[in-house]
Amino acid sequence: MIKSKYNWLYEPPTQYIDETLANKYQLTPIIKKVLESKSITEDASIKAILNQTAVNHEPWLLSDMEKAVNRINEAIDKNERILVYGDYDADGVTSTTILVNTLKTLGAEVGWYIPNRFTEGYGPNELAFRNAHDEGVSLIITVDNGIQGHKEIEMIQELGVDVIVTDHHEIGRTLPSAYSIVHPMHPEYDYPFHYLCGAGVAYKLSQVLLDNPPNYFIGLAAIGTIADLVSLTDENRSIVKQGLALLNESCPIQIKALLNQAGYNDTINEETIGFIIGPRLNAVGRLEDASLAAELLMTEDEEEAEFLAEQVEHFNIERKEIVAKITEEALAIAEDKVNKGKQFLLLAKEDWHEGVLGIVASRIVETYGLPTLMLNIDLEQNHAKGSARSIEQVSMFEILSAHQDLISKFGGHHMAAGMTMEIDYIESLEQGLNEWMHQLSEHTSLEPNKRVAVKLEENDITINNIRDIQRLSPFGTDFEKPLLELDDNEVVDVKAIGKDKNHLKLITGQLKLQSLFWQNGDLATQIELGQPINLLGNLQINEWNGNQSPQFIIQDIATNNEQILDYRSKRKQLNLDPSDTNIAFLIHPKKEKLHDNYYYYGDKIDGDHEVVVLRDLPLDLESLKMSLEELNYSQLYLVLQHQQSIYFDGMPTTTQFKNCYKALITKKETNLEQEGMLLCQFLDVKPNILKFMLKVFFELGFVTEENGIIKIKDNPNKQNIETSRVYQLRQSRMEVEKLLLYDDFTQLKTWIKSQKG
């Protein structure tokens, strides 16, 4: 049995789309099921999704918008110096670009500044603000940050510099004393949609400042929205839909240069932004100064755009290498903490690159299903800095807020946060976070979940149905690509693919559906041909040599039945931890028990074991039967090591035994060394068979042996050859070999399953 990593939650819809609406919008059964799974069943909501009715809330409804616009216009009229203070991620550089270009269009004297992640950290920085004041800046506008910058904003305003905060991050217990705060979640205002990203807020501000913002702006806002993983509903959905259309109709030179460097020349969709554009814009700020990414987005020169995009690509390649190294180290630390029962994984180490810790934290969460905080320890500065990622049951903002006395500075939202703290408090924070998690777990399940949108039948898997599902795009946070469950599909072929064999490829069912499971190539050895398997994932269209076929991208996999896995071939290597108490090893009675989880065939086995390994060939079937009767397992590995096989040598016939005895009587004394081969030729048997026959005679008292001389005993007791213990052991060994080594594997599995108590 392969256990799923997630709980697959399927709730049948409580509301259904009536046939009139289904006909009106030409909804096929598959798209109808998907919409119903998302509770989209009314005319207006269906129309909004399918026809993408634009949602563009009145920007003047945002908090302090009038006050902010008046102050900006005043600064422009008086030729005041304005500084746009941004952030180092994709949302930060796109929002910076939108607002800087907006102000330039209005003729403002404007500059921009993006803090360095490593030397200045996230959000308002006191020294940067003081430098702006010294350079004559009288108005600072933050984008994608500022809502937590209380001290710095108060300081700079006391120096006579006004600060307009435009942000979207969680608001703390108090608001900063800024000149104005443009924020969709401001508690004193009621903006219709709370989940704009930083670029979305900047875009709304540009809508007020400019009569017709350039189309490029909504493309940037779409990039920021997808890259920052904000809710892809309501107004954000319209921003992304319109932005993607713009990026495909007339791709700006800056984005085109970025895609050229990535070798991508296909349609730009939400996945293009999520996996190609966003990570590259983020890579610069993760490793060094994010200004390079902003310069790329702001350049109007095609040649310069290509040059800057090439530099960005170098950063992205380096980022991948660093992530791979840190992930390997972090997984080892995380596994140790999980084994110790930790429910919040705080991983801290020297010389971890702070810029990529959020990426690695996400991978740890994906692996263990637990909220994770990764910190780089800087002994010189006596502080630790890093990033946190969460699970849906735990608000990272809430849990870190509850331990704010141990943290120097942090900001974030439900699923992610960044923070700085003193090294001395790390142990206390880890203890506090785990106590908080323990209390939560007493009334809330922490098991990771995946919500199933539709349970598929095999005949649902068609190119047309996949295209229908794509009609609902773009997909993202709060409007995820529908997860599809396909149960009891028989495995036709299975193999590990890729350079390092680290990906899984399955062919299943009558349709020979191809399925891929990235980073799970190790499962290839655990899946049997012909067994039914359950898949959870998404459908896509695979194109190869002009042909199109359905393809299933697996997110999780499970088998309901126990598995019996064949590892009898020396070509198959079984890599299991011998000391893992979840595994029971059954071994030959003459072999050494290495750990407490090693048993001889027939021993009483303590407790249940998920995995059982028949490591050695048993002496007889009875002892194997005794073990199988009391075993409960999900996976049984047949290794069955043995020195040599006797099955094909067979058992001497009664006639051969008689002829052998007669030959020995005739000679009375036989020198085995000198005459053994002649005797083998006479009897037409191999030397090892002759030795066996002589052992039987010796045991029954028919012969004696001294210094290699075989002598017939006088007047031996008459006994049946089959009463010999040596004879019976060989017969038993042949039965064992026939069943366990040479019978059809399907029949062997049937026999093993029949022995369970």
Side-chain angles (χ1 to χ4, degrees):
M1 179 185 296
I2 298 176
K3 286 192 172 182
S4 60
K5 289 171 59 178
Y6 301 91
N7 289 326
W8 300 4
L9 303 180
Y10 175 71
E11 296 180 4
T14 56
Q15 296 177 310
Y16 295 89
I17 299 171
D18 66 43
E19 288 304 313
T20 305
L21 281 179
N23 293 332
K24 176 180 178 180
Y25 292 106
Q26 297 181 325
L27 303 180
T28 57
I30 189 76
I31 200 170
K32 184 172 177 289
K33 289 178 183 177
V34 172
L35 289 171
E36 288 168 347
S37 75
K38 295 179 179 293
S39 299
I40 299 171
T41 58
E42 301 299 321
D43 194 326
S45 57
I46 296 172
K47 181 180 180 182
I49 292 296
L50 293 178
N51 296 341
Q52 293 303 319
T53 304
V55 179
N56 184 19
H57 297 305
E58 176 54 61
W60 287 104
L61 295 176
L62 278 163
S63 62
D64 285 351
M65 180 64 85
E66 184 174 0
K67 191 176 181 183
V69 169
N70 289 340
R71 180 66 185 89
I72 291 169
N73 285 330
E74 179 186 348
I76 294 171
D77 291 342
K78 293 181 177 179
N79 291 319
E80 295 180 50
R81 299 193 69 182
I82 303 173
L83 177 70
V84 175
Y85 188 93
D87 186 29
Y88 40 69
D89 66 1
D91 190 20
V93 295
T94 51
S95 53
T96 300
T97 302
I98 290 170
L99 192 53
V100 168
N101 285 344
T102 297
L103 295 174
K104 282 183 177 179
T105 302
L106 293 169
E109 187 178 348
V110 59
W112 55 274
Y113 186 85
I114 294 178
N116 186 291
R117 179 193 293 263
F118 311 103
T119 59
E120 298 169 287
Y122 171 76
N125 177 271
E126 182 174 340
L127 181 58
F129 275 17
R130 286 186 182 277
N131 287 340
H133 170 261
D134 293 342
E135 292 172 5
V137 169
S138 57
L139 175 61
I140 295 174
I141 308 174
T142 70
V143 288
D144 194 33
N145 75 96
I147 201 65
Q148 296 290 337
H150 296 63
K151 185 178 73 171
E152 296 83 1
I153 290 172
E154 183 177 1
M155 176 276 301
I156 198 67
Q157 294 217 145
E158 287 177 356
L159 293 177
V161 178
D162 289 332
V163 178
I164 297 173
V165 171
T166 76
D167 199 358
H168 73 110
H169 291 96
E170 294 276 0
I171 297 173
R173 298 167 187 165
T174 59
L175 292 166
S177 57
Y179 180 87
S180 65
I181 298 173
V182 182
H183 196 298
M185 288 187 284
H186 196 294
E188 297 174 13
Y189 291 78
D190 191 22
Y191 189 70
F193 183 63
H194 287 181
Y195 305 109
L196 294 170
C197 68
V201 177
Y203 180 65
K204 300 304 289 186
L205 181 55
S206 77
Q207 285 183 315
V208 174
L209 291 169
L210 301 174
D211 291 335
N212 293 297
N215 287 338
Y216 179 32
F217 287 7
I218 199 164
L220 291 174
I223 292 170
T225 299
I226 293 171
D228 218 49
L229 301 177
V230 291
S231 178
L232 201 59
T233 57
D234 200 89
E235 190 166 22
N236 281 346
R237 190 166 180 77
S238 291
I239 288 172
V240 169
K241 187 72 175 179
Q242 294 173 55
L244 289 174
L246 177 278
L247 293 174
N248 282 293
E249 290 167 9
S250 178
C251 189
I253 59 168
Q254 305 89 341
I255 305 304
K256 188 179 291 183
L258 205 59
L259 294 175
N260 287 343
Q261 288 297 322
Y264 186 85
N265 57 6
D266 206 342
T267 302
I268 300 172
N269 57 27
E270 66 271 29
E271 292 184 351
T272 315
I273 293 174
F275 296 108
I276 298 177
I277 298 173
R280 282 163 172 76
L281 292 177
N282 279 323
V284 185
R286 290 188 184 282
L287 301 189
E288 286 190 19
D289 191 329
S291 298
L292 173 65
E295 288 172 11
L296 167 62
L297 295 181
M298 291 186 200
T299 185
E300 297 296 331
D301 183 84
E302 188 171 345
E303 189 174 330
E304 183 182 21
E306 289 292 343
F307 172 77
L308 293 172
E310 185 178 357
Q311 308 311 306
V312 169
E313 186 64 23
H314 288 316
F315 278 109
N316 188 55
I317 293 169
E318 184 182 356
R319 186 265 305 170
K320 289 181 180 178
E321 294 171 352
I322 294 171
V323 165
K325 180 177 182 296
I326 296 178
T327 299
E328 184 179 356
E329 296 173 354
L331 283 170
I333 300 172
E335 184 171 359
D336 180 61
K337 289 184 180 289
V338 169
N339 290 337
K340 291 176 180 176
K342 301 292 186 184
Q343 293 177 298
F344 190 110
L345 301 179
L346 192 158
L347 314 178
K349 190 175 182 292
E350 289 181 68
D351 299 324
W352 274 351
H353 200 299
E354 296 166 12
V356 302
L357 294 185
I359 298 174
V360 181
S362 294
R363 296 190 181 178
I364 301 298
V365 172
E366 185 178 339
T367 302
Y368 293 105
L370 295 172
T372 300
L373 169 60
M374 294 198 58
L375 295 171
N376 173 56
I377 295 176
D378 188 332
L379 293 176
E380 287 186 14
Q381 300 293 326
N382 191 36
H383 72 215
K385 187 188 293 185
S387 297
R389 296 293 182 268
S390 197
I391 57 178
E392 68 174 277
Q393 300 97 318
V394 179
S395 167
M396 189 59 69
F397 185 81
E398 181 183 347
I399 193 172
L400 292 181
S401 294
H403 300 86
Q404 206 162 8
D405 55 325
L406 300 173
I407 301 170
S408 306
K409 186 177 183 181
F410 89 96
H413 46 81
H414 185 94
M415 295 300 290
M419 58 169 290
T420 303
M421 68 179 298
E422 292 183 25
I423 296 172
D424 294 342
Y425 293 148
I426 290 177
E427 189 174 335
S428 298
L429 180 61
E430 182 176 25
Q431 182 178 344
L433 293 173
N434 274 281
E435 287 175 357
W436 196 95
M437 290 293 295
H438 178 71
Q439 292 175 11
L440 178 68
S441 66
E442 289 180 348
H443 56 81
T444 302
S445 171
L446 298 179
E447 290 188 22
N449 300 321
K450 291 283 188 183
R451 299 192 179 277
V452 179
V454 176
K455 287 196 172 188
L456 290 175
E457 299 294 334
E458 196 174 14
N459 58 12
D460 290 327
I461 302 172
T462 65
I463 296 293
N464 287 338
N465 276 346
I466 298 172
R467 288 202 181 103
D468 262 350
I469 293 173
Q470 290 172 346
R471 286 175 64 194
L472 302 179
S473 65
F475 299 109
T477 304
D478 295 335
F479 195 82
E480 290 83 2
K481 182 178 287 190
L483 272 178
L484 311 171
E485 181 178 342
L486 180 62
D487 291 338
D488 296 325
N489 221 25
E490 190 172 289
V491 176
V492 177
D493 190 26
V494 55
K495 58 185 170 184
I497 61 171
K499 179 183 176 184
D500 300 317
K501 304 297 181 186
N502 53 349
H503 308 303
L504 177 70
K505 180 179 179 181
L506 292 176
I507 306 294
T508 61
Q510 294 182 352
L511 294 180
K512 305 292 188 291
L513 174 67
Q514 177 176 285
S515 301
L516 300 173
F517 199 3
W518 306 118
Q519 305 302 328
N520 280 273
D522 58 308
L523 289 176
T525 59
Q526 300 179 40
I527 296 173
E528 303 171 80
L529 295 181
Q531 77 174 121
I533 199 162
N534 302 335
L535 305 176
L536 184 71
N538 311 112
L539 281 169
Q540 66 178 28
I541 297 172
N542 179 43
E543 296 195 27
W544 180 255
N545 288 338
N547 297 317
Q548 293 185 331
S549 60
Q551 183 169 266
F552 201 89
I553 304 300
I554 303 171
Q555 290 194 26
D556 202 5
I557 198 167
T559 56
N560 294 327
N561 55 333
E562 64 189 29
Q563 292 178 288
I564 300 174
L565 303 165
D566 188 2
Y567 273 74
R568 295 172 297 174
S569 168
K570 291 181 179 179
R571 294 192 302 272
K572 290 186 177 181
Q573 297 297 316
L574 183 61
N575 298 313
L576 295 175
D577 183 358
S579 62
D580 187 343
T581 56
N582 193 43
I583 305 173
F585 290 88
L586 272 64
I587 63 174
H588 192 281
K590 291 185 179 180
K591 301 291 185 179
E592 180 187 358
K593 292 183 178 180
L594 301 178
H595 300 282
D596 290 341
N597 57 329
Y598 277 63
Y599 303 91
Y600 295 132
Y601 289 100
D603 279 357
K604 179 173 176 55
I605 297 174
D606 300 324
D608 289 342
H609 298 271
E610 286 289 319
V611 177
V612 174
V613 179
L614 305 188
R615 195 195 72 175
D616 302 326
L617 197 67
L619 277 175
D620 54 68
L621 293 180
E622 287 307 312
S623 60
L624 173 59
K625 288 178 182 178
M626 289 172 62
S627 295
L628 291 174
E629 281 176 2
E630 61 177 78
L631 279 172
N632 289 311
Y633 55 83
S634 61
Q635 291 180 324
L636 179 70
Y637 288 89
L638 304 182
V639 181
L640 302 174
Q641 296 175 358
H642 56 283
Q643 290 298 316
Q644 61 183 13
S645 172
I646 66 169
Y647 178 72
F648 291 109
D649 288 340
M651 180 71 82
T653 64
T654 303
T655 300
Q656 286 173 319
F657 272 108
K658 287 179 178 179
N659 289 340
C660 181
Y661 190 70
K662 285 178 182 178
L664 295 174
I665 289 176
T666 302
K667 293 284 295 180
K668 296 201 175 185
E669 290 187 7
T670 303
N671 186 319
L672 200 59
E673 183 177 349
Q674 295 176 1
E675 301 173 279
M677 288 307 298
L678 290 173
L679 186 55
C680 285
Q681 291 172 11
F682 171 72
L683 298 172
D684 192 23
V685 296
K686 294 179 180 178
N688 61 328
I689 295 295
L690 175 60
K691 288 179 182 179
F692 163 70
M693 295 168 74
L694 294 174
K695 282 182 182 179
V696 172
F697 290 158
F698 182 80
E699 181 197 353
L700 296 176
F702 294 168
V703 300
T704 62
E705 186 271 333
E706 187 175 349
N707 298 324
I709 305 298
I710 305 296
K711 295 180 180 180
I712 293 291
K713 261 192 169 185
D714 294 332
N715 302 316
N717 293 328
K718 286 188 177 182
Q719 298 177 68
N720 193 318
I721 291 292
E722 294 178 358
T723 63
S724 161
R725 171 71 175 157
V726 173
Y727 185 96
Q728 291 169 357
L729 285 174
R730 183 177 183 88
Q731 195 170 45
S732 176
R733 172 63 183 258
M734 289 177 62
E735 289 176 358
V736 167
E737 288 188 14
K738 179 181 183 299
L739 175 65
L740 300 183
L741 299 182
Y742 304 116
D743 259 7
D744 178 75
F745 186 56
T746 302
Q747 293 179 2
L748 173 57
K749 286 193 294 183
T750 301
W751 182 86
I752 289 173
K753 290 176 181 178
S754 72
Q755 303 307 312
K756 291 191 68 173

